[in-house]
Amino acid sequence: MDSTLPFSTGTRRLISVAALVVLTLTWFADFAVLFLQHPSDATASSTAVTSWIPVFITGPLAAVALPDNRWMPSLTQRAVLVAAMSIALSCVCLFAPQYWPGWGFLETLALLLLVIRVLAQIQPASTAAWTIAPLIVAILLLPLRDRTKDTFVAGTYVLTMVLAVCVILGSALRAQEARRQRAVHDVRQAERLALARDLHDLVAHHMTGIIVQANAARTIHATAPEKVEPILESIAQAGTETLESMRRLVRVLREDNHAALRPGDLLAELGELTADFTRHNPDSPPIRLEVSAAARSTRFSPEVETSVYRVVQEALTNIHRHAPGQRATVRMDADPDWLHVTVTNTTAQHQPANPAGGRGGLGLIGLQERIEALDGTFQAGPAGPGLWHVTARLPRHPAHAVN
């Protein structure tokens, strides 16, 4: 199974462009060396003809095997095929020396880059091990294509050193990705623990109400039996709400430190949160909190309210770390089916070299885990020139208008 390199999209794009330029220049170098070794009046010899094979066949094919696309075989299959092709060409020197092939720079570079990619991306480790073995053999056999003993010895030494560097680099990238995956797992696990605490508070809140109403029904059953029916309906409704909320939260808990809000306190808590951030950042403009009439007149389920609070809290924390002194606006709106929360801020022209609190970058992963557990959607990214936004859309159900 292939995985992506542990870099951001922009970094991967830059690496791809740089690799394309280097591979193109290396291919031109193959042409230059070939013409210097075999002038036009000697291209009819069998050796000169076979010297073109690395330039036009094995080199380009090895380079084409580097990038991923949906029409090509997997990286494992491509690496093995390229290695087998290179080994076969090198064996020509042993079994058919009259057709002595050349030694292409492009083929060599592509094989080395494949070693890095295989080590960095192929999972599991056993698959990476047997995939890289033929690549190493192919690289170490390349010096056989040179006729002179001195060049063979020097080429073998240099290739061995370069191969060792590529193995180290690929292993380092693999270790970095493993650390990133562990960090993501830890964040998701922490978020699941927070959801478990919210679930406890949610169930305790509803069960307390159910017990109180049940005791009231038992008390008035003898004196006012006509009032028992509405109480039983309220108990059934509270039990249904509890079950629906539990199902949404337990889904994510089945996969593998903050206190929950009290139901109905969301707007007050958001007001305190934005005021605290404004008070602790006197150099920044006051944070605007905009709540539509539809959102004000609606009561949402406890797990939705706690998730909204976490979204706003994390977004404001990131603004303080990465864009201090910039304007920020928190907007909350509701339609018949969804609650929409958006935090927008202007971006700083110069990013801080050392953001406050470090460069964790994993808080948004936990938020996405929480929002998706509630069947919502979460997005963070540029919203236009000089703007950044964090948007969450959560289902209103169960939601009830405030009387």
Side-chain angles (χ1 to χ4, degrees):
M1 179 181 67
D2 298 347
S3 62
T4 57
L5 285 171
F7 299 115
S8 64
T9 302
T11 304
R12 289 198 299 268
R13 187 178 295 113
L14 179 61
I15 292 175
S16 299
V17 172
L20 179 61
V21 172
V22 171
L23 290 171
T24 302
L25 294 177
T26 305
W27 197 26
F28 288 156
D30 276 340
F31 277 105
V33 172
L34 183 64
F35 279 112
L36 289 175
Q37 290 180 345
H38 304 286
S40 58
D41 59 351
T43 55
S45 67
S46 59
T47 301
V49 172
T50 55
S51 296
W52 287 85
I53 295 178
V55 179
F56 283 106
I57 300 179
T58 58
L61 287 178
V64 170
L66 285 169
D68 290 323
N69 62 63
R70 57 184 178 180
W71 298 286
M72 297 180 66
S74 66
L75 177 59
T76 300
Q77 295 172 327
R78 300 198 308 269
V80 172
L81 289 174
V82 168
M85 176 183 62
S86 180
I87 292 172
L89 187 59
S90 297
C91 288
V92 171
C93 301
L94 298 177
F95 303 105
Q98 67 273 21
Y99 298 105
W100 205 284
W103 180 359
F105 296 139
L106 179 61
E107 179 184 355
T108 305
L109 178 60
L111 288 171
L112 291 170
L113 293 178
L114 279 173
V115 168
I116 296 176
R117 284 209 61 192
V118 167
L119 281 174
Q121 295 183 246
I122 298 298
Q123 299 290 347
S126 58
T127 303
W130 70 256
T131 303
I132 198 177
L135 288 173
I136 293 176
V137 173
I139 292 172
L140 295 179
L141 288 180
L142 288 174
L144 287 176
R145 303 183 191 178
D146 198 282
R147 293 175 178 272
T148 61
K149 180 179 179 180
D150 293 341
T151 305
F152 171 79
V153 174
T156 302
Y157 174 79
V158 172
L159 276 182
T160 302
M161 295 298 102
V162 175
L163 179 60
V165 172
C166 291
V167 170
I168 294 173
L169 179 58
S171 301
L173 292 175
R174 188 183 190 88
Q176 179 184 352
E177 176 64 10
R179 288 193 298 270
R180 189 189 71 85
Q181 292 290 350
R182 285 195 297 270
V184 170
H185 177 269
D186 291 343
V187 169
R188 288 177 173 169
Q189 188 66 21
E191 195 63 34
R192 290 175 187 138
L193 292 176
L195 284 170
R197 296 178 62 183
D198 291 345
L199 180 60
H200 171 271
D201 294 339
L202 168 70
V203 173
H205 166 74
H206 282 293
M207 292 306 298
T208 300
I210 290 173
I211 292 172
V212 170
Q213 293 181 82
N215 289 332
R218 186 173 59 181
T219 301
I220 66 175
H221 178 265
T223 59
E226 72 280 358
K227 296 182 179 180
V228 173
E229 183 66 25
I231 294 177
L232 293 178
E233 292 179 356
S234 178
I235 290 175
Q237 182 179 6
T240 301
E241 292 178 5
T242 304
L243 287 176
E244 290 177 352
S245 299
M246 287 177 62
R247 289 192 187 102
R248 283 192 293 269
L249 293 180
V250 168
R251 273 205 310 268
V252 69
L253 294 177
R254 283 176 175 171
E255 297 176 6
D256 249 79
N257 291 318
H258 77 288
L261 299 177
R262 297 179 300 278
D265 285 350
L266 177 60
L267 298 183
E269 295 286 347
L270 289 180
E272 294 180 6
L273 179 63
T274 54
D276 286 342
F277 269 86
T278 300
R279 184 166 52 253
H280 291 112
N281 300 276
D283 297 333
S284 302
I287 297 173
R288 295 182 57 185
L289 176 61
E290 301 176 357
V291 182
S292 68
R296 289 182 181 275
S297 61
T298 304
R299 179 180 299 167
F300 302 96
S301 61
E303 71 272 17
V304 170
E305 293 190 352
T306 55
S307 298
V308 170
Y309 184 87
R310 288 293 304 276
V311 167
V312 176
Q313 183 182 49
E314 180 67 24
L316 294 181
T317 300
N318 286 338
I319 292 172
H320 173 62
R321 292 172 57 198
H322 301 286
Q326 302 301 306
R327 295 191 306 275
T329 302
V330 179
R331 296 184 180 89
M332 190 167 69
D333 193 10
D335 57 38
D337 299 315
W338 299 93
L339 170 64
H340 304 271
V341 181
T342 304
V343 182
T344 308
N345 66 279
T346 55
T347 56
Q349 295 182 352
H350 302 286
Q351 294 292 332
N354 296 303
R359 296 182 178 271
L362 296 176
L364 297 181
I365 296 176
L367 285 183
Q368 184 172 4
E369 182 85 1
R370 171 183 283 266
I371 299 303
E372 290 179 353
L374 301 177
D375 295 329
T377 59
F378 179 81
Q379 186 180 28
L387 292 176
W388 184 273
H389 75 157
V390 173
T391 302
R393 190 180 70 155
L394 291 154
R396 279 183 50 167
H397 182 77
H400 306 280
V402 178
N403 294 326

